[in-house]
Amino acid sequence: MKRQGILWVLLLLLASSLIGGCALSKEGTDVLTYSGVTEVSVAPGEFVPGTRIQYVGQDEQGARVLIDGQELIRKLGDSLIWEGKVTDGVDLKVKLRVLHIAEKRLVTSGLVTLRVHHPNPQPAAVDESRPVRYTLPVTYKVSKGKCIPGTLVCYEGPEEGKGARLSGVEGYPYRALGDSILWQGTLLPNADLSLNVRVLFYNDSFLQVLGTATVGVTP
């Protein structure tokens, strides 16, 4: 890739991250939104997970791609945009840019947004075989007495000398600043969540956490 092309792609990705990034999720809604910048690689014949964007292959012009069955040529820095329903209760929007074109793979990066409607979190092992899987950044400000969105882990308040007290976790219920909080469970029968966050701050009113959410979906 030429230097000018690299700089152009980086500027596009920076703009996308500033617009999207890690959104602070609201409590008390019936929709969970997971959004952030990530990298997606696909081999010839494969689809960008959850979308109708298919990488056909490479030729002298660039990457041959099908979007909703219609063919186009994409060059370095070009966009790949799709929005639609993955399965019942799950919507997906991708705004990607082409980073690398090769015979064996197409590498893209950009903003991915997953929306899960009417979630019903239940603790369970994650199904690693789900074909649509994205890991995205999350940050939550959880009021005392409320749960981290998408989980049954609730903040019960601070306890002097021990840390932030949680319910809905196995074993020791306290977390100090910087400690991790892990959760695995289903959001819907066809979607699950693996949450890995750390405690940034807590007081008598709320708990602030930051980390990643891996959402898996079966279309």
Side-chain angles (χ1 to χ4, degrees):
M1 187 188 298
K2 295 182 179 179
R3 180 178 177 83
Q4 185 177 5
I6 294 173
L7 291 173
W8 175 241
V9 172
L10 289 175
L11 286 173
L12 289 170
L13 292 177
L14 177 60
S16 295
S17 66
L18 291 174
I19 293 171
C22 179
L24 184 66
S25 298
K26 297 179 180 179
E27 298 176 28
T29 67
D30 61 355
V31 178
L32 291 173
T33 300
Y34 300 95
S35 185
V37 174
T38 189
E39 182 177 290
V40 182
S41 297
V42 286
E46 292 182 347
F47 291 84
V48 172
T51 77
R52 295 297 300 163
I53 301 173
Q54 184 181 26
Y55 179 44
V56 177
Q58 180 190 24
D59 63 20
E60 65 279 1
Q61 293 181 294
R64 294 174 55 223
V65 177
L66 295 176
I67 299 181
D68 290 327
Q70 297 179 309
E71 185 170 346
L72 73 162
I73 299 295
R74 298 281 80 182
K75 295 183 179 295
L76 293 176
D78 282 352
S79 65
L80 292 170
I81 299 174
W82 187 90
E83 181 177 359
K85 179 180 176 181
V86 180
T87 187
D88 290 341
V90 182
D91 300 327
L92 174 64
K93 179 191 297 185
V94 298
K95 294 183 177 181
L96 305 173
R97 294 281 174 177
V98 176
L99 291 184
H100 178 72
I101 303 169
E103 182 180 349
K104 293 185 178 180
R105 65 173 182 153
L106 175 70
V107 181
T108 70
S109 184
L111 185 64
V112 172
T113 302
L114 270 167
R115 289 167 57 87
V116 181
H117 299 264
H118 307 293
N120 180 30
Q122 298 295 327
V126 167
D127 182 357
E128 299 286 352
S129 68
R130 294 190 189 276
V132 180
R133 186 169 295 278
Y134 288 100
T135 298
L136 300 168
V138 290
T139 179
Y140 297 112
K141 181 180 179 181
V142 184
S143 298
K144 184 178 178 179
K146 300 290 186 179
C147 295
I148 298 174
T151 79
L152 298 181
V153 178
C154 301
Y155 179 50
E156 303 298 339
E159 190 159 331
E160 187 174 354
K162 293 186 177 180
R165 181 160 48 88
L166 306 174
S167 62
V169 296
E170 294 185 4
Y172 193 73
Y174 300 99
R175 299 293 187 274
L177 290 177
D179 282 355
S180 60
I181 301 173
L182 307 177
W183 164 270
Q184 287 192 344
T186 56
L187 299 174
L188 298 171
N190 53 2
D192 55 32
L193 169 67
S194 179
L195 189 77
N196 184 350
V197 296
R198 289 187 179 273
V199 176
L200 289 183
F201 178 80
Y202 65 90
N203 59 21
D204 193 54
S205 299
F206 67 87
L207 168 76
Q208 184 84 45
V209 297
L210 172 70
T212 60
T214 300
V215 181
V217 184
T218 300

